[in-house]
Amino acid sequence: MASPVVVRCPSCSQKYRLSPSAIGRKARCKRCHSIFVIRSEHPIDDDTVVGWITDDDPGSQSVMGSTGIFQGPEAPLPSRQEAEEWEEPPPAPVEAQPERAVRLKKIQPDGALFEFPASALGSQKLRNSFPRKCLGCGIRTGLKVHLIYWPERMVPHDQPHLRDRIEASVGALDAYEEPMDVTLLDQLPRTRHIADLFSQPFPFFMCDYCGALREIEAHVLSRRGQEVCRLRI
């Protein structure tokens, strides 16, 4: 049996998984009711996956994008005259940042695999890095706030409820004050009965039509005596 293809409605970005035999036919979106021709998505590659995370969203303050954990091309060197006229400003206090903390490890059939040291969870910028759009279909309206949970650091009596917690939102994004700002983190609940580093809220965003369990998976690994966080997106 052929593997299903991923199709998105061009009007509202609702995502469907269909048989390859449906490609080329017309369909009506169940969400927005627009009619479109079914076309398969482009194959997933490194650039596509990084694009999911580094979306140019000024409100997200994305560490994985605009602040350079995924580093882009270096800026050109200044001319001699510019260097002579330029005065170095006094250093400003900034939050300590892990160097290139998030790394894209590999692309799998079920998504992209990212890793970063557990110590990076102390960075608010990292935990505020997901763009304000649905992780499943990319839509930017009607978003609900979901939290990442780390099953290996949860107490035993909470682990059976992990799936329910991931699927359950902690509220509508637009119900929070300054939802596009890093201060959103201060308004979100911490995970109870868990080590402080892993209890801090790490939000991502979903619409009502996409399932969080299908779009993201989190784990904590131990490697050479160090704790490493792994995200499958």
Side-chain angles (χ1 to χ4, degrees):
M1 181 176 178
S3 300
V5 294
V6 177
V7 176
R8 295 177 192 265
C9 169
S11 297
C12 70
S13 296
Q14 173 63 32
K15 183 167 63 175
Y16 300 94
R17 288 179 172 83
L18 303 174
S19 167
S21 62
I23 296 175
R25 298 180 183 178
K26 287 186 177 181
R28 182 185 296 274
C29 177
K30 293 182 179 180
R31 182 178 187 180
C32 69
H33 307 294
S34 64
I35 297 175
F36 63 96
V37 176
I38 297 173
R39 304 183 189 280
S40 62
E41 297 254 318
H42 295 295
I44 295 176
D45 55 22
D46 288 23
D47 291 336
T48 304
V49 175
V50 173
W52 294 345
I53 303 300
T54 62
D55 181 72
D56 185 14
D57 185 347
S60 74
Q61 296 295 314
S62 174
V63 168
M64 300 182 196
S66 62
T67 58
I69 282 186
F70 282 116
Q71 293 183 352
E74 294 184 1
L77 294 174
S79 66
R80 177 177 297 180
Q81 181 178 355
E82 290 174 330
E84 291 175 351
E85 295 176 351
W86 182 74
E87 294 183 3
E88 183 175 358
V94 295
E95 178 187 3
Q97 289 291 317
E99 293 185 6
R100 295 179 62 100
V102 180
R103 296 181 181 276
L104 174 62
K105 298 296 290 185
K106 59 181 176 179
I107 308 296
Q108 301 181 145
D110 60 347
L113 206 59
F114 296 90
E115 286 188 359
F116 56 87
S119 58
L121 288 172
S123 166
Q124 283 193 331
K125 289 184 178 179
L126 173 61
R127 290 185 288 109
N128 191 50
S129 60
F130 278 91
R132 274 37 171 187
K133 65 178 182 178
C134 176
L135 194 60
C137 66
I139 197 169
R140 295 175 180 272
T141 58
L143 297 177
K144 299 294 179 59
V145 183
H146 292 253
L147 299 179
I148 294 174
Y149 295 95
W150 308 98
E152 291 81 7
R153 295 298 174 268
M154 297 176 70
V155 294
H157 70 264
D158 279 344
Q159 290 178 353
H161 308 290
L162 175 64
R163 294 175 64 88
D164 293 336
R165 288 195 177 189
I166 295 172
E167 285 287 11
S169 75
V170 293
L173 178 62
D174 58 11
Y176 289 93
E177 295 182 7
E178 302 294 338
M180 300 299 178
D181 192 77
V182 70
T183 54
L184 172 67
L185 300 179
D186 297 328
Q187 305 174 60
L188 299 177
R190 298 172 72 105
T191 306
R192 297 179 300 171
H193 313 304
I194 194 170
D196 183 66
L197 194 62
F198 298 96
S199 71
Q200 300 179 87
F202 196 156
F204 62 99
F205 310 95
M206 303 292 300
C207 70
D208 287 331
Y209 300 93
C210 294
L213 281 170
R214 187 171 61 244
E215 303 299 343
I216 193 166
E217 183 179 0
H219 291 285
V220 181
L221 313 175
S222 181
R223 183 177 295 149
R224 301 187 186 91
Q226 302 292 325
E227 288 184 320
V228 176
C229 294
R230 172 176 288 183
L231 286 179
R232 190 269 303 161
I233 301 173

